[in-house]
Amino acid sequence: MDFRLLNKLVSESKMGKAQIAEMAEISRTTLDNALNGADIKISTIESLAKVLGVSPSIFFGGDSTVDEENLNMYEREIKRLQTLLDNQRKSTKVVVELDVTQDEFIKMGLKDKVIQILNK
């Protein structure tokens, strides 16, 4: 395991060691032991990686770089999901049947509203 990388990520983090340990649901002692090169459980490595926003594989020589193609793919997926989310936020359409004269219709303030006739 690359303990230097773990130390670097912890020191560059905007969080303190106590906060990182709490978020990773480990003791501060366990975090200090990990930073000093002690053997730690895989679950601890996974928790720390999650808190630090990295893949656990980078601690074992995994590729820590993100290539441009993957980044573009992720950006497109985020935009697609945002569009779906935005579409769900639209107002609810209500269909009301009114039996009014044209004058009553104008008095009700509906003159400028879009009216859709549905044939069922």
Side-chain angles (χ1 to χ4, degrees), residues 5-52:
L5 178 59
L6 178 60
N7 276 292
K8 180 181 175 191
L9 291 172
V10 169
S11 65
E12 290 177 354
S13 171
K14 295 179 182 178
M15 300 174 282
K17 290 179 183 179
Q19 186 179 8
I20 292 171
E22 182 181 332
M23 291 176 69
E25 298 179 352
I26 60 173
S27 70
R28 171 68 190 269
T29 303
T30 300
L31 177 58
D32 287 335
N33 290 341
L35 294 172
N36 290 323
D39 289 335
I40 56 176
K41 298 178 188 175
I42 292 293
S43 60
T44 301
I45 296 168
E46 290 172 339
S47 296
L48 287 170
K50 183 176 179 182
V51 170
L52 296 170

Side-chain angles (χ1 to χ4, degrees), residues 85-99:
L85 191 61
D86 289 343
N87 288 338
Q88 290 179 351
R89 292 183 186 150
K90 289 184 179 177
S91 61
T92 304
K93 294 179 182 179
V94 177
V95 178
V96 178
E97 185 177 324
L98 299 173
D99 188 15

Side-chain angles (χ1 to χ4, degrees), residues 46-65:
E46 290 172 339
S47 296
L48 287 170
K50 183 176 179 182
V51 170
L52 296 170
V54 296
S55 169
S57 66
I58 70 165
F59 296 118
F60 302 99
D63 185 14
S64 62
T65 60

Side-chain angles (χ1 to χ4, degrees), residues 98-110:
L98 299 173
D99 188 15
V100 294
T101 66
Q102 185 173 356
D103 289 336
E104 291 171 325
F105 183 73
I106 293 170
K107 287 178 188 175
M108 293 170 64
L110 300 174

